[in-house]
Amino acid sequence: MHELAFPLLVGLIALALAFDFLNGLHDAANSIATVVSTRLLSPVAAVVFAAAGNFAAYWLVGLHVADTIGKGIIDKDIVTPAVVFGALIGAMFWNVVTWVKGIPSSSSHALIGGLLGAGVMHGGFDAIESKKTIETFIAIFMSPMIGMALAMFFVLLTSWLFKGFQPRRAENVFKGLHLLSSAAYSISHGGNDAQKTMGIITVLLYSTGYLKGEFHIPEWVVLSCYAAISLGTMSGGWKIIKTMGTKITKLNHHTGFCASSAGSIVVFGASALGIPVSTTHAITGSVIGTGAARRASAVRWGVAQRVVMAWFITIPASATVGAAFYMLTKLF
């Protein structure tokens, strides 16, 4: 157990909630890029709609991902307040850089990178909990590919099912389906991403003796994290929305429905398995899949390549910053 003055504990929890807010701000595009780019909803209505979906996850999604972040990436018994501080700063630094540049990188993997960097700097490589960490790294590569494959399948299947429909009638049907699939993706986003901050706050409470009994996620932590990510989503992330909704491939209600449906299946599946998957990776792969299902030239592969490069450097970059800020705390 590590002693920590209560005001410092409050400060670290506030920092964690700030990361959660930034996560919602950064990842708003995950939920609303398709409905904004197709003009199904206005930007303001879309962010309110997505924020409501984020918070609805409180009643609909279990807490398996929070458990993984809290005790499945770094051994919970070696975590210190300095490790938590380094992890949060590493993740927030990378989120701000990619947000300014309009690059849809992963807030989830930024947090995991920061946690790994600070945790390894404190306890060495033995501090890593290998099982869930390996599963998470596999998900980094598999989630966009699964999303892409599912989106391609949905485009082909629905094109066949609706081939006899009048274009106007089919368009009206897909408008409703697109809205439903976007709601599902917003719920899956809140259910996976908000839980990462829950895990960070809970392991901080556990390591400092403020959490009594067995490792569990307190109800007030759950509510505050869902509220923070919902408020962040309401603030929007317009540069990233433009990249996701218009620069990778052109979307309509049909392909928007297919992308959101594929992405939500990937994220809900990962949440059920307790894997902190990247919601950004899932929806980006799905958007690429809708374009590739029509023709390869429908995808702007140069933009997609830039996004993929950000995926590869997110964990090393945030781990480096997390390790550096952990070391900085040792000076005090």
Side-chain angles (χ1 to χ4, degrees):
M1 186 185 299
H2 305 276
E3 291 186 7
L4 184 68
F6 186 73
L8 291 177
L9 175 72
V10 172
L12 275 176
I13 291 173
L15 185 65
L17 292 175
F19 166 78
D20 206 22
F21 176 89
L22 187 61
N23 190 342
L25 175 68
H26 186 276
D27 288 2
N30 296 349
S31 302
I32 67 174
T34 63
V35 291
V36 171
S37 64
T38 57
R39 299 182 181 178
L40 181 59
L41 293 175
S42 70
V44 173
V47 293
V48 173
F49 178 77
N54 284 175
F55 199 86
Y58 169 71
W59 294 281
L60 300 172
V61 181
L63 298 176
H64 308 301
V65 174
D67 281 334
T68 295
I69 292 293
K71 58 184 180 180
I73 302 297
I74 294 294
D75 182 358
K76 67 182 185 303
D77 293 319
I78 70 99
V79 171
T80 67
V83 170
V84 171
F85 176 75
L88 290 170
I89 296 297
M92 293 175 76
F93 170 83
W94 187 247
N95 269 2
V96 169
V97 169
T98 52
W99 176 52
V100 169
K101 297 292 185 181
I103 302 170
S105 68
S106 170
S107 298
S108 307
H109 295 140
L111 181 61
I112 290 167
L115 187 57
L116 285 171
V120 168
M121 190 60 67
H122 174 73
F125 287 98
D126 289 340
I128 298 174
E129 296 284 359
S130 58
K131 183 177 184 294
K132 283 296 182 182
T133 302
I134 291 170
E135 289 178 358
T136 301
F137 272 84
I138 291 172
I140 290 174
F141 298 100
M142 291 301 296
S143 60
M145 290 191 288
I146 294 172
M148 181 177 175
L150 283 173
M152 292 177 70
F153 172 74
F154 287 150
V155 169
L156 296 174
L157 177 64
T158 51
S159 296
W160 177 74
L161 290 173
F162 284 81
K163 65 181 179 180
F165 278 57
Q166 291 293 327
R168 185 183 296 273
R169 184 184 173 196
E171 180 79 354
N172 288 333
V173 171
F174 280 119
K175 277 185 179 180
L177 292 175
H178 187 188
L179 194 63
L180 287 173
S181 64
S182 180
Y185 198 79
S186 296
I187 294 168
S188 71
H189 171 234
N192 199 281
D193 276 14
Q195 290 194 37
K196 290 141 191 174
T197 306
M198 295 176 204
I200 287 289
I201 293 175
T202 303
V203 77
L204 173 65
L205 296 171
Y206 177 85
S207 67
T208 53
Y210 287 96
L211 182 67
K212 304 302 181 184
E214 295 295 318
F215 188 96
H216 64 282
I217 316 296
E219 190 72 8
W220 69 266
V221 173
V222 177
L223 285 168
S224 60
C225 288
Y226 276 130
I229 199 169
S230 299
L231 289 171
T233 297
M234 287 183 68
S235 302
W238 306 114
K239 287 186 177 181
I240 299 173
I241 289 168
K242 187 176 180 182
T243 299
M244 293 282 287
T246 62
K247 289 187 177 180
I248 293 176
T249 191
K250 185 174 177 59
L251 293 170
N252 54 35
H253 296 305
H254 175 205
T255 53
F257 158 70
C258 293
S260 297
S261 297
S264 61
I265 289 172
V266 172
V267 179
F268 274 127
S271 297
L273 295 172
I275 300 173
V277 74
S278 168
T279 54
T280 307
H281 290 197
I283 195 64
T284 303
S286 301
V287 168
I288 291 172
T290 63
R294 300 195 304 275
R295 61 185 185 280
S297 60
V299 179
R300 295 184 179 91
W301 294 105
V303 177
Q305 184 180 25
R306 180 167 165 248
V307 172
V308 170
M309 287 300 296
W311 295 351
F312 279 97
I313 63 175
T314 291
I315 287 182
S318 54
T320 301
V321 178
F325 272 87
Y326 168 80
M327 292 305 296
L328 186 64
T329 65
K330 310 307 289 182
L331 299 177
F332 302 95

